[in-house]
Amino acid sequence: MKRTTLLSLQIAVGILLLIVWHLLTTVKFGAKPILDPFFFSRPLDVLARVWKDFYAGTIWRHLGITLLETVLAFITGAIGGIVFGFVFARGEIVAAVFDPYIKAANALPRVVLAPIFMLWFGLGIWSKVALGFTLVFFIVFFNVYQGVREVSPTILANARMLGMNERQLLRHVYWPAALTWMFSSLHTSVGFALVGAVVGEYLGSSAGLGYKIHEAESVFDVTGVFAGMVILAVFVIIIDTIVTAIENRLLIWRPQAQSTTAQG
Amino acid sequence: MGESAQAASAAVALRGVSIAFLLPKGGTYPAVAATDLVVAPGEFVAIVGPTGCGKSTLLNVAAGLIQPSTGTTSIFGRPLAGLNAEAGFLFQQDALMPWKTALDNVAVALEPRGVPRKEALERARQWLDRVGLSVFVDRYPHMLSGGQKKRVALAQILIRDPRILLMDEPFGPLDAQTRQIMGNLLLDLWAQDKKAVLFVTHDLEEAIALADRVVVMSAGPAATIVGDTAIDLGRPRDIAEIRTEPRFHAIHKQIWATLRGEVQKAYAQGEGRRA
Ligand SMILES: Nc1ncnc2c1ncn2[C@@H]1O[C@H](COP(=O)(O)OP(=O)(O)OP(=O)(O)O)[C@@H](O)[C@H]1O
Ligand SMILES: [Mg+2]
C-alpha cells in the first residue's frame, strides 16, 4: 500500500469514530441523546477544551513537568539498567547470588510503591521519577544482561584472536551487543517511563498531565478528562516518533526489512 | 633435519596432542588421540577428514582457543600459552562484527597493536582494495554476500600480518565458482609473503589444489593422522586449471584411497553428515 493511501485511511478511521461519537452524543431521540454528554462529553467540546488549554497556556507547565519526569526516569533507569546488566552478565557469582532478589523485585507490581516513594521523595517530581525508574530499570537491565550473555561466541573468539584485551572487547563487542538489545526495548522503556510519571502524578501531585486528568475526574469534568487524554496521546505519539528516529539512526547496521529501490 | 631441530624451527608443532571433551552428563569424549603435526614456516598444509573427526578441534588447539588434554603446542619453537598471537584465524561461521562497516571491521584489527585510527583506516582501505572490495567499504556485513564477507574477514586477518594463518573451512558455505575465486585470491596473497598456513577443508580437490601437503585425519572418536602426502604440483597454480592435470588425478586417487575408508567408517558410526 502506498504511504499516502495508508495515511488517508488512518485519518478516515479517526474521523469516522469522531463522527459516530458526535452523533451519539448530540442527535436527540426523544428528550436525550443516546449517550449522555455528561458522562461521555462531545468531541467538539473536548477539542474546544484542548484549544483553550493551549490558548490560555496553562497546559505547557504540566506538559513540561511530565516530560521532565519521563526523561529523568528514562535516563536514570537506563543508566542503572546498563551498569547492573553489565556487572551481572560478566560476574557469574554476583548474578547467582542476587538472582532471587531481582526476580522478586521485578515481579512486584510497581504501583504499590508509589505511596512509599511519595513518603520518601515528597509530592514533587522525584517520587514520579523514582516510580518510572523502577519500571525502566528492569526492562533495560534484563535486556542488557541478555545482550551481553548472548554475544555470539564466534564473534567473541574472533575478536580475541585479533588480540583485543578486555577493555577493547567491552568497547567493540559487549557494548554494541548490549546496546542492540537495549534499543530493541527502547519503545517499551520510554513508554514505561511515561507511565511511571503519569501514574505517579495521578496518585498524588500538584502538576503534570496525570494531575490534570485526576483533577478533572474529581469534579466529574468528563470533558477535562478526555482533553487530558487527547493531549497525553499526542504527546506519546511525538515521543515515540522521536524514539523511532533515534533508533533508526543508531541501528543502521541492523538488517531491516529488505530495502530495494523497487516501487511497492 | 633431526626431529627436534625440525620442531624448533617449525611455525606450528603439535606434539602428542590429544583432546578429550568433558561431557555435561559426566564422562569424557576422546575426540583426538595423540597426534603429531608440524607446519614449517611458509608451508601450506591442508587437513581433510570425515565430518566430526576433530579437524576444527585440532585447529583450535593451534590457535590456543582449546587446551589439549595431553601433549604440547609450540609456535616458532616457543611453547604456546594462552592465545596464539602469531596466528590469524579465519572462522567457518560469520565472525565479523555486524555493527561495524567492512572498513571498521578491518581497521579495528589494528587497534590492539596501538596503530592510530587514521592510519588504521588508511591501511584497511588498502586491504579491502586488495581483496577486491573497494566499493563496499561502507557496507555493513548484512549487506554483503557470503563471498564478500569472507573477503572482509580475510582482510581483517591479513592486515595484522600474522606469520601463521589458521583457516577452518573458510570457503565452506560458498558456491563452486566463488570458492575458486577465493582460492586463487588466497594463493595470490600467500605467494607474496609465504605465511605458514593450516587449512581445514572437507573438499579434497580444494585441499590438493591449494596445499603443499595434505594431511588426512581418521574418523573419530580418538581420531589421529593417518595420511600425509606432499603435493608435488608446480606453482603458481590456478585452482580451476590445475584440476585437469594428470598428476592432480594421480594424487587425488592416492589420497582418496585413504580418505574414503575413513569417511565410510564415519558413516557406519552414524556420524556422517556429509562426505
Ligand atoms: N565442546 C564439546 N564437547 C563435547 N564434544 C565435542 C565438543 N566439541 C566438539 N566435540 C566433538 O568432537 C568431535 C570433533 O569435533 P570437530 O568440531 O573438531 O569436528 P570437525 O572435524 O571439525 O567436523 P566438521 O568437518 O563437521 O567441521 C566431534 O565428534 C564433536 O562432536
Ligand atoms: Mg569443523
Side-chain angles (χ1 to χ4, degrees), chain B residues 145-197:
Chain B
S145 74
Q148 290 165 341
K149 274 187 266 199
K150 285 293 169 213
R151 289 196 227 181
V152 177
L154 197 59
Q156 186 186 53
I157 283 150
L158 293 178
I159 196 172
R160 297 173 63 238
D161 195 24
R163 293 158 81 194
I164 302 166
L165 280 184
L166 305 173
M167 309 176 100
D168 190 359
E169 301 197 36
F171 311 144
L174 307 179
D175 64 90
Q177 288 92 311
T178 314
R179 293 174 80 104
Q180 287 182 3
I181 294 169
M182 291 297 294
N184 280 330
L185 174 69
L186 176 63
L187 282 187
D188 280 349
L189 294 169
W190 175 71
Q192 288 168 21
D193 58 354
K194 295 271 171 138
K195 300 175 188 308
V197 181

Side-chain angles (χ1 to χ4, degrees), chain B residues 12-219:
Chain B
V12 180
L14 305 182
R15 293 268 168 227
V17 162
S18 76
I19 303 116
F21 287 107
L22 288 173
L23 297 174
K25 285 186 184 156
T28 56
Y29 177 79
V32 178
T35 297
D36 291 338
L37 179 63
V38 175
V39 183
E43 191 182 26
F44 198 129
V45 176
I47 306 180
V48 293
T51 178
C53 69
K55 304 182 292 292
S56 299
T57 306
L58 213 54
L59 206 65
N60 281 319
V61 169
L65 288 165
I66 296 182
Q67 295 299 319
S69 311
T70 65
T72 57
T73 313
S74 46
I75 303 301
F76 290 108
R78 278 197 303 275
L80 179 64
L83 292 181
N84 186 344
E86 301 284 356
F89 197 116
L90 198 59
F91 289 83
Q92 178 171 6
Q93 307 92 327
D94 279 338
L96 297 174
M97 287 160 255
W99 41 80
K100 288 185 188 295
T101 59
L103 185 66
D104 280 335
N105 258 295
V106 179
V108 82
L110 288 177
E111 194 179 304
R113 293 274 168 85
V115 176
R117 180 153 168 82
K118 196 154 168 277
E119 189 195 329
L121 286 174
E122 191 50 45
R123 280 164 63 184
R125 241 175 245 286
Q126 287 166 10
W127 266 105
L128 283 169
D129 196 29
R130 226 171 284 182
V131 296
L133 286 180
S134 40
V135 244
F136 298 111
V137 285
D138 289 327
R139 297 264 190 110
Y140 289 93
H142 81 269
M143 305 154 120
L144 296 169
S145 74
Q148 290 165 341
K149 274 187 266 199
K150 285 293 169 213
R151 289 196 227 181
V152 177
L154 197 59
Q156 186 186 53
I157 283 150
L158 293 178
I159 196 172
R160 297 173 63 238
D161 195 24
R163 293 158 81 194
I164 302 166
L165 280 184
L166 305 173
M167 309 176 100
D168 190 359
E169 301 197 36
F171 311 144
L174 307 179
D175 64 90
Q177 288 92 311
T178 314
R179 293 174 80 104
Q180 287 182 3
I181 294 169
M182 291 297 294
N184 280 330
L185 174 69
L186 176 63
L187 282 187
D188 280 349
L189 294 169
W190 175 71
Q192 288 168 21
D193 58 354
K194 295 271 171 138
K195 300 175 188 308
V197 181
L198 199 50
F199 187 100
V200 168
T201 174
H202 63 267
D203 180 346
L204 179 56
E205 291 195 22
E206 183 176 69
I208 298 171
L210 289 170
D212 296 323
R213 239 171 75 211
V214 174
V215 166
V216 181
M217 279 186 84
S218 65

Side-chain angles (χ1 to χ4, degrees), chain A residues 116-138:
Chain A
I116 298 181
F117 286 150
M118 268 163 222
L119 282 178
W120 290 351
F121 302 111
L123 291 178
I125 64 166
W126 292 107
S127 54
K128 285 81 198 171
V129 173
L131 190 59
F133 172 90
T134 60
L135 291 165
V136 174
F137 173 82
F138 285 99

Side-chain angles (χ1 to χ4, degrees), chain A residues 193-261:
Chain A
L194 185 66
V195 167
V198 172
V199 169
E201 289 163 359
Y202 186 87
L203 293 177
S205 74
S206 53
L209 281 182
Y211 163 75
K212 278 286 282 182
I213 293 174
H214 182 68
E215 185 192 42
E217 235 169 47
S218 58
V219 294
F220 299 104
D221 174 13
V222 176
T223 308
V225 174
F226 277 119
M229 279 162 55
V230 168
I231 296 170
L232 187 60
V234 172
F235 185 65
V236 170
I237 290 175
I238 293 173
I239 288 189
D240 205 62
T241 312
I242 296 171
V243 168
T244 305
I246 294 175
E247 195 182 18
N248 286 343
R249 177 70 202 80
L250 288 172
L251 295 181
I252 32 168
W253 58 268
R254 217 170 35 172
Q256 300 278 327
Q258 294 313 315
S259 43
T260 67
T261 53

Side-chain angles (χ1 to χ4, degrees), chain A residues 23-88:
Chain A
L23 291 179
L24 287 176
T25 49
T26 37
V27 177
K28 294 205 169 129
F29 281 90
K32 278 183 164 186
I34 298 173
L35 297 178
D36 188 342
F38 180 77
F39 293 114
F40 292 92
S41 190
R42 291 194 184 95
L44 290 177
D45 292 348
V46 173
L47 225 69
R49 180 68 69 88
V50 171
W51 171 253
K52 207 189 99 202
D53 280 344
F54 277 98
Y55 191 74
T58 48
I59 199 69
W60 292 112
R61 190 172 73 90
H62 297 292
L63 267 179
I65 284 181
T66 302
L67 181 65
L68 180 67
E69 288 162 356
T70 304
V71 169
L72 286 175
F74 174 74
I75 292 177
T76 53
I79 292 176
I82 289 172
V83 169
F84 278 84
F86 258 100
V87 170
F88 276 54

Side-chain angles (χ1 to χ4, degrees), chain A residues 90 148 151-162 169 173-174, chain B residues 65 91 95:
Chain A
R90 303 290 286 139
V148 173
V151 171
S152 145
T154 316
I155 293 178
L156 209 53
N158 187 46
R160 287 223 165 87
M161 284 306 292
L162 293 175
L169 286 179
V173 181
Y174 289 118
Chain B
L65 288 165
F91 289 83

